[in-house]
Every structure is written in C-alpha cells, then in structure tokens.
Amino acid sequence: MNENETRIPENREDTIDYKAIALRLWAKRKFILRLWGAFVTIGFFAALFQRPVYVSSCTFVPLSSSSKTSSSLSSLAALAGVSMGDMTNGESLSPLIYPQLLDNVDFNRELMRIPLHFKRYDEPVSLYDLSTDPKYRRFTLGTIKKYTLGLPRVILGAIRGSGPDVILPEDVKDSARISAYTKEEFKVYKAVSKMLSMTVERKDGYLTLSARSSEALVAAELCQGAMDLMQKYVADFRLEQARDNLSYLQARADEARAEYLTKQLELAQYTDSNRGAPTATSMTRREQLTSEYEIAFALYTEVSKQLLKAELKVKNDTPVLSAVKPVSVPMLKSNSRTKTWMVWIFMGLVISCGLVIGIDYLRDKGLKWPADWD
C-alpha cells in the first residue's frame, strides 16, 4: 500500500473514518517525526533555559475595626457622654474594590519603589531602580530574546517613538486628583502588573493576593509590600470624610478651649480684685463674667464630646485586612522544566498530526501547496 492509496477519502456520510486517519498518519510518519522532533528539541532548550518562578500568596478578609470595639473603649466613651451605639454597625468595603487598586497609578508608583532583596545585589533594590538605573542592567536571555524574536517590535518602537512624558500643570499637581506615569514608570508598571494578581471569592468574602518572581524572597516581599500599601490606600479611601470632620472639630475645640480659658481667667481676676468691696455693680459684673464662663465651658464640653466621638469614629472605621493565610517565602517553584518539556512534546505531536489532516483536507478542496505532498 503506497501513500496515494492511504489518502483520507472524502466522507460523504459525515462520519469520521478513524481507520483511514490512522493509516494516513502512519503513511506520513516521516513528516510527523521530523516536525515533532523539531518541537521536542525546541522544548528541551526552552525548558533548559527557562527561569524559575516562585509564587507567594496571602489570603485575607477585609474587616472594619468597628466590629470589634473593646468594652473598655465603650465605657470610656460613656463616661464622656458619648454613645458608641451608632459607631459599631459599620460595614466593610466591598471586596470588589480591592483588585481595582492594582491599576491605581499612585499605588503602583509606590509599589515599584519598595526595596527588595535580590540575591545578586548586596543592597535592597526597587523594581524601578532595577529597570532604569544603568548600574543594575545586565546581559540576560531576555536581552537575546528582545533583539532576536522581539527585534521587529524594537524597530517599530524606535520608528514610532515613545513620545514625551506627560507634564501636569502645577495647579493640577497641587489638586492631587490627577496622576500620570512617566515613560520609565509605565514600563515598570507593565512588568509589575504581570507579577501581581488578585482573586476574589465572592461567596465567602475573602481575597487572595499573589506575587510571582524568579526569586522566592522577592516574591514574598513584593506580596507583603502590596498588601501593606493596600491597607493604607483603602484606609485613606474609607476615612477621608471622617478625617476631614475630625480636623474641623479639632480646630473648633482649640478655639472653644482658648475662649473657655480666657473667660475662666477673667472671672478669677475680677473675683480677686473685688473681694473686699461687694457692690451691686461688682456683683452684676461678676454674674456677667460667670455667665460667659459657664457658656464657654458648656461650649467647650460639647465640642470636646464631638471631637472624642470623631476620634473614635476614625479609629473604629479603619479597615483591617485580617490575614487568614499570611505571606510566606515559597519553598517550591511553581513551574517545572519537565512539565514545560512535556507540553512542547505533546503540542508538537498534536500540531504534526493536525497538519497532515489539515493539508489533506485543503488539497481535497483544490489547494496545490505543497507541490510534493503525496
């Protein structure tokens, strides 16, 4: 039986003739073995030179500290005449808010400047310095890939240009409402975005933050740094209004205290100077000063209560990321050279067999390429 006789016949009954397919693949075994061998070789070198990947993760539950107010704090507030009943029912922020921080410009600008301990450097280095400082640049396989397989992209990038940095006007900068990356920061951001990921379990309400790196310690430090920044940014987001109210009440409390002390001193001085001559005028003046003092004291007391309430509100509403599984340094790599090679082997076999079937199908439809295909 020659190769022409083992061509897959056109099936007019829309059924698959597995025996004919098997015979055709056997007839083209030399082609399959050559192409498969190429995939096996490429896969071997890909597995041999692949960089290890370590993944460090942290599982946490967003809570509000108002849900765990201590009894001693409640008692202290009660002594000051402040009811904490309306401050113990705060709800946690939606877990869906947390992944949005991974795209926050200011968040990433701080994250890329966190010092990390790389094995090849004696001092901690941030991802931003590692990418932009010439003294940390070194020749790697990534450099070879960039100027071989990635050469067309490099050429197109040079032709198009990256454009100038976005320069924000001073009034926009001062408003702190608009942020922008520089060209270097945006390159680092794209690298950091590949290193960090977050998953949300909506049903159970917990989140998992993961960081990946070629070094185990760096992955753990990046994961912990991202979680610490997340705590800070979420707290700022949640407490912005409460802190504005606290600042306003603090200023009013300072004014009320100053007025109270002034009236207290005036009353004391007047009482001392008119101790021996209790005239009707002096008694009337004393009653006026006493009334002003009592009003100032009542105002100071009320503002102090409101200030204490605002301080407790800020403390109790601070979001807390309760770690169910804290960050740890991973001991095992998440990737495997054997698995990588096996993927290439399997992919090569599937593609080789698929090409035989696909080319036969196209030639049955009138395709003349390849000319020596039997």
Side-chain angles (χ1 to χ4, degrees):
M1 181 181 295
N2 57 40
E3 292 186 356
N4 290 329
E5 293 175 339
T6 58
R7 293 287 296 273
I8 301 175
E10 184 178 354
N11 199 325
R12 302 182 182 278
E13 298 179 357
D14 295 330
T15 58
I16 300 176
D17 190 343
Y18 293 104
K19 182 178 180 180
I21 293 176
L23 291 174
R24 181 56 178 166
L25 294 178
W26 176 255
K28 300 299 293 184
R29 60 186 179 278
K30 292 183 179 179
F31 171 82
I32 293 174
L33 289 174
R34 291 193 192 99
L35 187 57
W36 186 37
F39 273 90
V40 171
T41 304
I42 295 173
F44 173 78
F45 286 102
L48 182 64
F49 293 108
Q50 79 173 1
R51 301 178 66 182
V53 176
Y54 293 92
V55 177
S56 178
S57 62
C58 175
T59 301
F60 61 92
V61 179
L63 301 173
S64 174
S65 59
S66 62
S67 60
K68 49 186 179 61
T69 305
S70 64
S71 58
S72 59
L73 196 59
S74 301
S75 302
L76 179 62
L79 290 175
V82 178
S83 174
M84 295 187 63
D86 59 341
M87 290 189 284
T88 57
N89 298 321
E91 296 181 356
S92 300
L93 291 174
S94 169
L96 299 178
I97 292 178
Y98 291 81
Q100 303 302 319
L101 281 174
L102 299 184
D103 293 325
N104 184 288
V105 175
D106 294 324
F107 176 87
N108 283 291
R109 291 176 68 182
E110 287 193 51
L111 183 62
M112 66 179 65
R113 287 174 170 82
I114 293 178
L116 304 173
H117 293 82
F118 291 88
K119 292 180 180 179
R120 57 184 181 273
Y121 302 115
D122 296 331
E123 74 282 357
V125 183
S126 68
L127 293 173
Y128 180 80
D129 291 336
L130 191 67
S131 176
T132 59
D133 196 329
K135 72 177 182 179
Y136 295 118
R137 294 178 184 171
R138 61 175 190 153
F139 189 81
T140 62
L141 291 174
T143 308
I144 299 176
K145 180 180 178 181
K146 178 180 179 181
Y147 291 101
T148 52
L149 298 176
L151 186 59
R153 181 178 298 178
V154 174
I155 296 174
L156 288 175
I159 295 174
R160 295 173 181 173
S162 55
D165 285 332
V166 177
I167 301 177
L168 297 176
E170 291 300 326
D171 57 338
V172 175
K173 281 185 179 180
D174 296 338
S175 68
R177 294 182 181 274
I178 299 179
S179 302
Y181 292 113
T182 63
K183 290 185 295 184
E184 289 78 10
E185 287 175 340
F186 186 69
K187 291 179 182 178
V188 181
Y189 158 69
K190 290 193 293 184
V192 172
S193 64
K194 296 178 181 178
M195 300 173 68
L196 281 176
S197 62
M198 178 176 288
T199 57
V200 180
E201 182 59 46
R202 299 189 184 187
K203 182 179 179 181
D204 298 324
Y206 66 84
L207 303 94
T208 300
L209 176 67
S210 301
R212 59 181 61 241
S213 174
S214 58
E215 297 186 18
L217 180 59
V218 171
E221 288 181 325
L222 185 61
C223 187
Q224 184 62 55
M227 186 173 178
D228 293 341
L229 278 179
M230 197 167 291
Q231 170 82 49
K232 170 189 170 185
Y233 273 77
V234 172
D236 290 342
F237 171 76
R238 179 73 179 266
L239 301 176
E240 182 177 2
Q241 183 176 359
R243 285 173 175 167
D244 289 343
N245 184 49
L246 177 61
S247 299
Y248 172 79
L249 288 174
Q250 183 66 60
R252 301 292 78 77
D254 292 341
E255 293 175 359
R257 184 174 184 276
E259 181 68 14
Y260 158 69
L261 293 177
T262 300
K263 296 300 180 182
Q264 185 183 49
L265 182 60
E266 288 180 0
L267 177 61
Q269 290 176 343
Y270 187 83
T271 300
D272 290 341
S273 61
N274 292 275
R275 187 182 298 273
T279 64
T281 302
S282 65
M283 292 177 65
T284 300
R285 178 57 180 163
R286 179 172 180 175
E287 289 177 359
Q288 291 177 346
L289 291 175
T290 302
S291 178
E292 292 176 358
Y293 162 76
E294 290 176 350
I295 292 174
F297 176 74
L299 178 62
Y300 173 57
T301 301
E302 183 61 28
V303 174
S304 297
K305 289 181 180 180
Q306 295 298 323
L307 179 62
L308 176 60
K309 187 174 181 179
E311 290 174 346
L312 295 176
K313 182 71 174 176
V314 169
K315 181 176 181 180
N316 293 330
D317 278 357
T318 302
V320 177
L321 304 184
S322 178
V324 178
K325 189 188 78 171
V327 176
S328 61
V329 179
M331 302 301 295
L332 301 175
K333 296 182 293 184
S334 63
N335 60 346
S336 168
R337 291 178 176 176
T338 302
K339 290 181 180 178
T340 300
W341 194 23
M342 294 303 295
V343 168
W344 277 89
I345 292 173
F346 177 76
M347 184 173 61
L349 183 60
V350 171
I351 292 177
S352 302
C353 296
L355 275 176
V356 171
I357 298 173
I359 292 175
D360 279 350
Y361 175 80
L362 293 175
R363 286 181 66 85
D364 289 339
K365 297 299 182 180
L367 181 69
K368 302 300 182 181
W369 183 90
D372 56 347
W373 187 262
D374 296 324

